[in-house]
Amino acid sequence: MKAIVTVVGKDKKGIIAKISNVLYESGVNIVDISQTIMQDMFTMIMMVEFDSDEVSIKTIDDRLSEAEREMGLSVHIQREEIFSSMHRI
């Protein structure tokens, strides 16, 4: 299954390491990644894929929510087809 992960928050050390580690520990592969810093705000969007028979998107979301609270970020994961449907031009 493919999904989109978005991360937004005040820039600080360790954001990429924390989020990518949570994904790695969940058996999720990062397929593509884009990040930028706008003034002091960090933004990142990732396309990820994982075997939905091994881990659910809910489990990944719960793990990302822990990182979100720990680092004071806004982190969301959404199935790629839903994300694409919502953001059609």
Side-chain angles (χ1 to χ4, degrees):
M1 171 183 292
K2 287 190 178 176
I4 304 297
V5 177
T6 57
V7 181
V8 178
K10 186 163 178 65
D11 187 36
K12 62 179 82 173
K13 292 178 184 178
I15 295 173
I16 296 170
K18 182 69 170 182
I19 300 302
S20 61
N21 200 31
V22 168
L23 295 172
Y24 168 77
E25 290 174 353
S26 301
V28 177
N29 184 45
I30 299 170
V31 177
D32 200 357
I33 184 170
S34 176
Q35 65 182 42
T36 191
I37 298 172
M38 300 179 340
Q39 296 183 11
D40 66 343
M41 292 299 291
F42 175 86
T43 63
M44 179 169 63
I45 185 166
M46 294 180 279
M47 178 177 281
V48 301
E49 64 183 359
F50 56 94
D51 185 344
S52 58
D53 291 336
E54 293 182 17
V55 64
S56 71
I57 200 160
K58 171 76 171 108
T59 299
I60 299 166
D61 186 46
D62 290 345
R63 292 173 181 169
L64 287 170
S65 291
E66 288 179 38
E68 178 181 47
R69 283 188 299 277
E70 288 174 19
M71 299 202 71
L73 303 169
S74 174
V75 182
H76 299 283
I77 185 169
Q78 192 169 44
R79 290 173 41 172
E80 189 266 343
E81 63 267 16
I82 294 171
F83 183 89
S84 294
S85 292
M86 292 175 59
H87 297 93
R88 285 191 184 155
I89 297 176

